[in-house]
Amino acid sequence: MPDGGSTGIGASVKRKEDYRFLVGEGNYTDDINRPNQTHTYMLRSSSAHAKFSLDTSNASKAKGVVKIFVGTDMEVGSIPCGWQVDSKDGTPMREPAHPPIAKDKVRYVGEIIAVIIAETLEDAKNAAELIDVNYDDIPVIIDMQKALDNSKGLVHDEIESNVCYDWEIGDSEAVDKAISEAAHITSLDIRNNRLIPNAIETRSAIGDYEHATGQYTLYTTSQNPHVIRLLMGAFVLGLPEHKLRVIAPDVGGGFGSKIFHYAEEAIVTWASNKIRRPVKWTADRSEAFISDAHGRDHVTSVKLALDKDGKFLALKVDTLANMGAYLSTFASSVPTYLYATLLAGTYTTPAIHCNVKSIFTNTVPVDAYRGAGRPEATYLIERIVDKAAREMGISQVEIRRKNFIPVDAFPYQTPVALQYDSGNYNATLDAALKKADYDGFASRKAESAKRGMLRGIGFSTYLEACGIAPSAVVGSLGARAGLFECAEVRVHPTGSVTVFTGSHSHGQGHETTFAQLVSEKLGISTDLVEISHGDTNNIPFGMGTYGSRSLAVGGEAIVKAMDKVIAKAKKIAAHIMEASADDIELNNGNFEIAGTDKSMSLADISLAAYVPHNYPHEELEPGLDEKAFYDPLNFTYPGGCHICEVEINPNTGEVKVEGMTAVDDVGMVINPMIVEGQIHGGLAQGIGQALLENAAYDNNGQLLSGSYMDYTMPRADNFVDFKVGNEVTLCTHNSLGVKGCGEVGAIGSPPAVINAVVDALSELGVNDISMPATSEKVWNAINNAKDKS
Amino acid sequence: MEISITINGKEVKANIKANTLLSTFIRENLNLTGTHVGCDTSQCGACAIHLNGDAVKSCAILAAQADGAEITTIEGIANGDELHPMQQAFHENHGLQCGYCTPGMVMSSIKLVENNPNISEEEIRKGLEGNICRCTGYHNIVKSIKQAATEMGG
Ligand code: FES
Ligand code: FES
């Protein structure tokens, strides 16, 4: 790995973006106020499924009210979904209309039914109390299994079924045959619990229409402002790009939940024209719980067929995936192309089949949350592998080694569409075993036992596909957009550089990592580099940040633009120094004529480019400013090994994480400090899913876990220090060799935690526990096991 | 009603509605937007400030209750351009990612350390019970606070 000098590739450069956050001068959406702005309160449905009518006449007259809008006032397009998934019979997915404000029927608690715009937020809230809403309740559909029976009721009458699509991948005949002949079959039923992303900054949006110019500006908490401009502009409001500017300023965490185009964005933008004043909306936390897209929520049954030696022969997976009441932007792709294509994991399983039915229910829409589909796939693979090992008396480590894709098998074509480019799963496993002091586990377990405690260790040797995404591939899979990235590298006259990137940083540290790429390639310090992102008026185009794509796709676009800058700079240098461009070499920021001591710095060249007195005008235009689009050839495939060690108090059921080790292969590492930070955060969310977090609905469609009192957010004392390491195999199809690190922590860790819990309880005969493994659940499992024995 | 508060060393007088939260007053009336609001149940700690020398959640009290008080917000703890050791330690240890929880984390942590100069890792983790971070997994926050504790004279 290059050492990169002080600020290049491989250096743990301290983050350039920190200062403004540390002194309280970040600029988040809710910190922005526009002159003459109004405030909005969204009145939301309190019923999960009902015909409704409302009377706003009293509220309209209330103090400070500027305007109240209801669904029929806002005749605009439907909020679109970005992926079309076809059912196995060839029919396209069922795609119900999704108006920004419900018109006469509500389908989940939290759906917007009226928009109250007033001089102050307090006025808007007070007025909302005066709105009379009449709900005529309809039977509520929460349980996915029940939703399959259309006679129990429909979430959307017009689409005549609660099934969005019934989709499959893989060779079912081969799988069935292998299962019928196998020496051993392991089965498992799994629920991947519904989660609420909970970025600490809640969503916020300000619409600002300027009448004199016809220009709209939307400030919004988004991970991808250009995508919002496209979805909202083209599909919902019918506004052309040149009249619509979307700004996503500092954003306080996303984790997927700020990818999607939400109703509130369209509402404030549209309303600011109607009332000719800026319109501001900020969610409070209770509102975020019932209006941010939720994550996960799969119910799956899985079968693994093995030969007598523990070699995997076939994997059969049946999944019901909750879509919630409407299709959110990425929703349809999450349980299909981001999930079932991952089911080979790190193993050579020759036959795989997966069937997915995605289901509409009267709940908040479900969409991508950190990992999106890949944690669900990883969870079921790593759980069933563990269970199979236990049933067959093979060690947890051995069964994995037996089935790993060997290093010499890359590029490796899986039976479920993907072709992995590189990896070394034994290397990450070995390093993790060492880091976790696996050899010392038996004595730690004995020591726990002395104190009456149960100790367990759990593994996950996972893989994921990210760097989303090769446009041709995802286009053939139903994506309605390309997933390339764009960058512009502008060298200024005196040699400093601004990079305009379509990636969006909301905690990932792009302002530092991307500056390091420039430092490495152009040989200047990161202090001379500014990264600009988040404003559609500044950035040529962008697909944004999700799917661990910023470096592998956005970073590559920057490299490609820099290559163009360098090529042009060489021509300029050649002209001035009277040499051939082919003889110019770039070394440490100097453009040198090979074999001579003649050279020019980047600053000399850029000055000549902008003050072109002596300049090759016949060949080149003045200026040094280049743009590039990069479309990856394949996904990237980070993978690794997570090992969790837990201690359980059998008297209380309390699970304590005693050790969490992660050795990941994320390809080339640009900034180790930032990569480790990303992995820490992912691990915390993964452990949170495994032990603490759960979004629960009652049968009437009321969210039971609708605040921090009921939804258990991980806190500092839920964790110990994480042990993080890395092993590198390079991605073979991008120039940096990078794979992506944003999601691995959340993808790999949940099965490691649950496998550890099961390991601790296995001596009592417990062989499964569902997420989250709360004290209560574990205590019950222990006592049920005792009753049986 | 009329209140008078000393904030970051400056005295301000304001006419406010009696039900104004202190966090709202700081953000909206004083335009000190470094103090964040992350919840509506007083549980995330993004809004932590110092009030008469204690770390408090500014969303949990009324501005009126702070009449006459001395308040420091995140904007007021650096010494000119020189960061407070806690801010500096967060920078050096990558104790922040999106930065949203950071002002509250820094304000709470300063008092944690001032009240317990030889604070242990376990005490730090327990002491952060009122502050939620969704980004960092707390690992580097704990590390930051440990370093700051040393530098603050523990
Ligand atoms: S905003 Fe004050 S504790 Fe969350
Ligand atoms: S840094 Fe994002 S919430 Fe803590």
Side-chain angles (χ1 to χ4, degrees):
Chain A
M1 186 183 298
D3 73 355
S6 54
T7 63
I9 291 178
S12 284
V13 177
K14 305 282 179 252
R15 295 202 322 168
K16 289 162 67 76
E17 46 270 83
D18 282 355
Y19 187 80
R20 66 178 186 274
F21 298 132
L22 283 165
V23 298
E25 290 180 26
N27 183 37
Y28 301 90
T29 304
D30 188 57
D31 298 343
I32 296 168
N33 291 299
R34 304 297 299 155
N36 201 27
Q37 124 194 317
T38 59
H39 296 265
T40 306
Y41 177 74
M42 305 285 169
L43 183 63
R44 295 176 187 275
S45 173
S46 58
S47 166
H49 203 188
K51 288 239 172 222
F52 75 100
S53 60
L54 36 75
D55 178 357
T56 59
S57 50
N58 286 334
S60 298
K61 287 178 258 161
K63 176 180 157 290
V65 170
V66 176
K67 184 80 193 167
I68 296 177
F69 292 112
V70 297
T72 46
D73 296 326
M74 194 176 177
E75 290 299 343
V76 297
S78 176
I79 294 175
C81 175
W83 286 66
Q84 180 177 316
V85 174
D86 293 340
S87 285
K88 54 193 178 196
D89 65 5
T91 55
M93 67 185 186
R94 297 188 174 91
E95 212 172 344
H98 185 186
I101 311 173
K103 293 198 166 80
D104 54 3
K105 196 174 179 191
V106 287
R107 297 182 173 87
Y108 66 92
V109 170
E111 187 166 1
I112 299 167
I113 56 173
V115 176
I116 302 99
I117 302 177
E119 297 298 336
T120 69
L121 183 57
E122 196 183 358
D123 289 343
K125 283 186 177 172
N126 288 340
E129 308 244 320
L130 303 175
I131 296 180
D132 268 331
V133 190
N134 273 308
Y135 294 104
D136 192 358
D137 286 327
I138 304 169
V140 174
I141 296 156
I142 297 296
D143 184 85
M144 288 195 277
Q145 205 69 47
K146 283 191 194 140
L148 290 173
D149 178 356
N150 292 333
S151 70
K152 297 256 159 50
L154 291 170
V155 177
H156 296 274
D157 292 328
E158 72 275 16
I159 58 170
E160 294 167 355
S161 169
N162 292 319
V163 178
C164 175
Y165 51 74
D166 181 356
W167 176 91
E168 66 175 349
I169 192 170
D171 185 341
S172 72
E173 264 174 48
V175 168
D176 290 343
K177 182 163 180 290
I179 287 178
S180 67
E181 295 166 3
H184 186 87
I185 311 274
T186 297
S187 310
L188 190 60
D189 290 320
I190 280 173
R191 178 174 190 102
N192 204 290
N193 41 332
R194 180 184 273 245
L195 302 176
I196 300 181
N198 271 305
I200 302 302
E201 177 204 30
T202 55
R203 286 188 301 116
S204 176
I206 307 168
D208 191 352
Y209 174 70
E210 199 181 270
H211 174 58
T213 59
Q215 185 77 37
Y216 291 83
T217 305
L218 168 67
Y219 301 84
T220 182
T221 48
S222 176
Q223 301 176 212
N224 32 236
H226 286 85
V227 174
I228 302 306
R229 189 181 64 173
L230 182 66
L231 293 175
M232 181 179 84
F235 297 98
V236 185
L237 299 181
L239 304 175
E241 282 94 339
H242 70 296
K243 288 294 181 194
L244 174 56
R245 175 181 187 183
V246 178
I247 301 175
D250 287 328
V251 172
F255 317 112
S257 70
K258 293 171 182 168
I259 300 172
F260 325 120
H261 172 43
Y262 285 97
E264 294 87 354
E265 294 170 320
I267 291 170
V268 297
T269 306
W270 172 88
S272 71
N273 177 340
K274 293 288 167 216
I275 68 162
R276 297 283 159 89
R277 288 175 67 181
V279 176
K280 179 172 183 173
W281 167 77
T282 300
D284 58 29
R285 181 58 58 187
S286 318
E287 202 177 356
F289 270 99
I290 54 169
S291 67
D292 292 358
H294 293 180
R296 316 280 192 257
D297 207 349
H298 285 194
V299 172
T300 295
S301 66
V302 49
K303 270 193 177 49
L304 177 67
L306 304 95
D307 73 9
K308 61 175 188 349
D309 302 320
K311 262 281 212 191
F312 306 158
L313 301 173
L315 184 74
K316 187 179 171 68
V317 179
D318 254 296
T319 294
L320 297 180
N322 206 332
M323 296 283 102
Y326 297 94
L327 283 180
S328 175
T329 311
F330 264 81
S332 52
S333 68
V334 174
T336 48
Y337 301 114
L338 297 177
Y339 164 70
T341 53
L342 260 289
L343 289 171
T346 49
Y347 310 113
T348 54
T349 319
I352 298 173
H353 181 259
C354 176
N355 196 98
V356 180
K357 287 190 180 128
S358 78
I359 312 290
F360 291 112
T361 59
N362 291 117
T363 62
V364 171
V366 180
D367 206 327
Y369 166 62
R370 202 172 197 166
R374 290 150 290 161
E376 295 90 319
T378 301
Y379 185 70
L380 74 86
I381 302 167
E382 292 301 311
R383 286 294 320 284
I384 196 141
V385 163
D386 229 64
K387 189 163 183 242
R390 226 173 275 289
E391 288 172 358
M392 296 183 73
I394 306 173
S395 92
Q396 315 299 340
V397 173
E398 205 39 48
I399 196 164
R400 290 176 161 86
R401 287 202 200 277
K402 241 184 225 289
N403 288 283
F404 276 157
I405 298 162
V407 198
D408 58 10
F410 294 95
Y412 179 80
Q413 179 62 50
T414 74
V416 276
L418 299 179
Q419 189 183 71
Y420 304 163
D421 63 340
S422 66
N424 184 345
Y425 310 126
N426 273 308
T428 42
L429 172 59
D430 287 337
L433 288 172
K434 203 156 160 222
K435 219 177 214 345
D437 183 22
Y438 182 51
D439 291 342
F441 173 70
S443 69
R444 292 193 294 279
K445 188 173 168 74
E447 191 276 330
S448 294
K450 266 192 221 146
R451 288 182 286 108
M453 300 294 217
L454 303 165
R455 202 174 186 97
I457 193 162
F459 299 87
S460 163
T461 48
Y462 75 97
L463 165 138
E464 66 128 333
C466 64
I468 290 174
S471 295
V473 177
V474 294
S476 69
L477 299 177
R480 288 167 170 164
L483 291 169
F484 54 82
E485 196 46 274
C486 174
E488 183 177 341
V489 173
R490 184 175 298 164
V491 185
H492 300 291
T494 62
S496 65
V497 171
T498 303
V499 174
F500 301 89
T501 170
S503 299
H504 187 280
S505 188
H506 29 277
Q508 296 88 342
H510 295 173
E511 291 171 43
T512 307
T513 303
F514 288 168
Q516 287 181 251
L517 297 181
V518 178
S519 176
E520 177 79 21
K521 296 272 170 190
L522 299 182
I524 59 176
S525 156
T526 48
D527 292 341
L528 289 173
V529 185
E530 197 67 29
I531 305 298
S532 171
H533 64 92
D535 183 341
T536 58
N537 267 21
N538 291 347
I539 317 296
F541 201 73
M543 296 308 293
T545 287
Y546 42 83
S548 304
R549 68 191 305 273
S550 294
L551 185 58
V553 190
E556 283 294 326
I558 296 172
V559 170
K560 219 174 145 191
M562 280 195 289
D563 287 342
K564 292 187 189 177
V565 163
I566 292 168
K568 184 171 179 184
K570 282 185 176 171
K571 286 187 191 157
I572 301 169
H575 174 83
I576 295 173
M577 295 193 287
E578 298 178 340
S580 152
D582 294 341
D583 292 336
I584 306 287
E585 283 175 0
L586 173 58
N587 288 318
N588 298 322
N590 282 315
F591 291 78
E592 303 167 353
I593 306 177
T596 74
D597 58 359
K598 277 173 88 178
S599 75
M600 289 179 82
S601 69
L602 181 66
D604 296 335
I605 295 170
S606 57
L607 191 63
Y610 288 97
V611 187
H613 297 319
N614 171 14
Y615 197 77
H617 286 286
E618 329 57 62
E619 282 171 56
L620 296 175
E621 293 170 13
L624 196 49
D625 186 346
E626 297 289 339
K627 183 174 73 186
F629 284 77
Y630 173 78
D631 199 353
L633 296 170
N634 190 354
F635 293 93
T636 57
Y637 300 97
C641 176
H642 293 181
I643 301 178
C644 180
E645 198 166 320
V646 298
E647 191 179 77
I648 296 174
N649 181 333
N651 300 319
T652 63
E654 194 198 343
V655 179
K656 235 182 127 215
V657 174
E658 290 286 335
M660 188 72 221
T661 304
V663 176
D664 302 288
D665 172 4
V666 299
M668 176 62 78
V669 172
I670 309 299
N671 184 320
M673 174 192 83
I674 289 178
V675 168
E676 281 184 20
Q678 287 296 304
I679 290 167
H680 295 156
L683 292 175
Q685 284 173 341
I687 300 170
Q689 167 163 32
L691 296 180
L692 305 166
E693 299 179 39
N694 190 39
Y697 278 94
D698 71 10
N699 289 334
N700 297 319
Q702 299 294 331
L703 182 65
L704 297 172
S705 47
S707 82
Y708 288 153
M709 320 267 234
D710 325 287
Y711 187 90
T712 317
M713 286 288 279
R715 311 230 173 202
D717 63 354
N718 294 121
F719 304 120
V720 286
D721 264 8
F722 302 127
K723 291 186 200 146
V724 171
N726 76 323
E727 287 290 321
V728 177
T729 63
L730 297 177
C731 169
T732 60
H733 57 82
N734 62 42
S735 76
L736 294 165
V738 297
K739 297 185 177 180
C741 67
E743 297 164 293
V744 293
I747 291 169
S749 59
V753 178
I754 296 298
N755 286 340
V757 173
V758 171
D759 184 52
L761 302 179
S762 60
E763 60 193 78
L764 305 173
V766 174
N767 62 11
D768 184 27
I769 194 135
S770 65
M771 296 194 288
T774 56
S775 307
E776 189 193 351
K777 221 183 260 175
V778 172
W779 188 86
N780 281 327
I782 292 171
N783 285 283
N784 289 341
K786 278 187 190 153
D787 288 349
K788 273 192 211 143
S789 60
Chain B
M1 61 179 291
E2 185 85 15
I3 58 166
S4 148
I5 292 179
T6 305
I7 191 140
N8 300 332
K10 264 194 246 130
E11 200 186 323
V12 294
K13 285 192 195 313
N15 212 328
I16 55 157
K17 293 183 72 170
N19 61 355
T20 308
L21 293 175
L22 182 56
S23 51
T24 310
F25 177 70
I26 291 171
R27 287 182 57 80
E28 306 286 329
N29 299 53
L30 305 179
N31 204 24
L32 292 169
T33 54
T35 299
H36 293 158
V37 173
C39 72
D40 43 19
T41 49
S42 306
Q43 281 169 316
C44 76
C47 63
I49 55 152
H50 297 166
L51 184 138
N52 293 333
D54 290 323
V56 302
K57 292 177 173 172
S58 62
C59 75
I61 53 172
L62 297 170
Q65 292 170 284
D67 188 21
E70 277 206 32
I71 288 178
T72 309
T73 65
I74 188 71
E75 289 90 345
I77 53 162
N79 183 2
D81 281 345
E82 193 190 324
L83 292 178
H84 184 281
M86 191 62 77
Q87 290 169 308
Q88 186 64 31
F90 269 67
H91 175 57
E92 284 171 16
N93 295 284
H94 190 25
L96 64 154
Q97 290 183 21
C98 78
Y100 202 79
C101 71
T102 310
M105 282 286 175
V106 167
M107 298 309 278
S108 301
S109 308
I110 289 173
K111 288 300 156 189
L112 220 50
V113 170
E114 280 178 5
N115 294 335
N116 183 1
N118 291 310
I119 192 160
S120 69
E121 171 168 343
E122 203 180 322
E123 288 169 326
I124 292 172
R125 288 186 181 273
K126 285 259 174 296
L128 289 178
E129 167 186 65
N131 291 79
I132 302 179
C133 174
R134 192 56 152 169
C135 296
T136 62
Y138 304 97
H139 182 108
N140 285 340
I141 291 178
V142 173
K143 212 164 134 193
S144 304
I145 299 170
K146 269 196 240 166
Q147 176 185 320
T150 319
E151 273 153 26
M152 285 165 68

